[in-house]
Amino acid sequence: MEPKTSPDQVPAWIPASGHALRHAGIHFDAVRVIGLLGEQVAYELMQFTDFEAGPIVRSRIGERSMYFLLPPGSAAAYRWPVGAEALVREGAAFVGVPALHGLTYPLDWRSLPTAQVPFVEPELLFELMASVVEGDARAVR
């Protein structure tokens, strides 16, 4: 996947190589969604935004989670459904962030941040997640 950002537009919290842990709530809030629910929500968000969803990090180990990166201070405003967890500044939550290129296993980008869409839109994520949880969304293909 080619990034749509030039090197001078890359957020400072994205490492140049490999991956790095970033404290949630500083540069971004995160909503972690585990397993197939995370895959489904990411799919719906990507479809709805014409593949301009903002930053979504995929972890390919353990429970295979998706991390939707939101503007700092925004995730706590919502009551996320079961299966989703808001990672905010309060607490000691860290999110692994991969580089844009190179070997980043077990993390990769499901959707990149861009200058136009630096974060996932919290309200849209919440609405789409509620739709998926309620069973109104199509199955992942």
Side-chain angles (χ1 to χ4, degrees):
M1 170 186 303
E2 283 299 312
K4 294 184 179 181
T5 56
S6 67
D8 60 327
Q9 295 174 323
V10 175
W13 46 266
I14 297 178
S17 63
H19 48 79
L21 291 177
R22 302 292 187 232
H23 189 256
I26 306 274
H27 302 289
F28 53 78
D29 282 359
V31 175
R32 176 177 50 207
V33 185
I34 298 170
L36 290 176
L37 177 60
E39 291 286 343
Q40 180 71 37
V41 172
Y43 173 82
E44 295 297 330
L45 186 60
M46 296 289 288
Q47 290 293 311
F48 190 86
T49 61
D50 197 25
F51 298 92
E52 295 285 330
I56 304 171
V57 174
R58 176 174 35 201
S59 173
R60 294 181 178 261
I61 60 169
E63 297 174 300
R64 299 182 182 257
S65 301
M66 292 284 182
Y67 294 84
F68 299 86
L69 306 185
L70 285 57
S74 64
Y78 299 88
R79 279 190 70 175
W80 299 98
V82 172
E85 178 183 8
L87 306 174
V88 297
R89 189 170 186 141
E90 296 79 33
F94 288 85
V95 176
V97 176
L100 295 178
H101 302 288
L103 299 174
T104 62
Y105 184 83
L107 304 173
D108 68 354
W109 290 101
R110 178 68 173 90
S111 176
L112 291 166
T114 64
Q116 297 77 24
V117 189
F119 298 105
V120 171
E121 163 48 48
E123 185 173 352
L124 177 60
L125 177 63
F126 181 78
E127 290 174 7
L128 287 173
M129 192 175 305
S131 176
V132 169
V133 168
E134 292 170 7
D136 295 336
R138 300 174 302 283
V140 171
R141 296 175 186 167

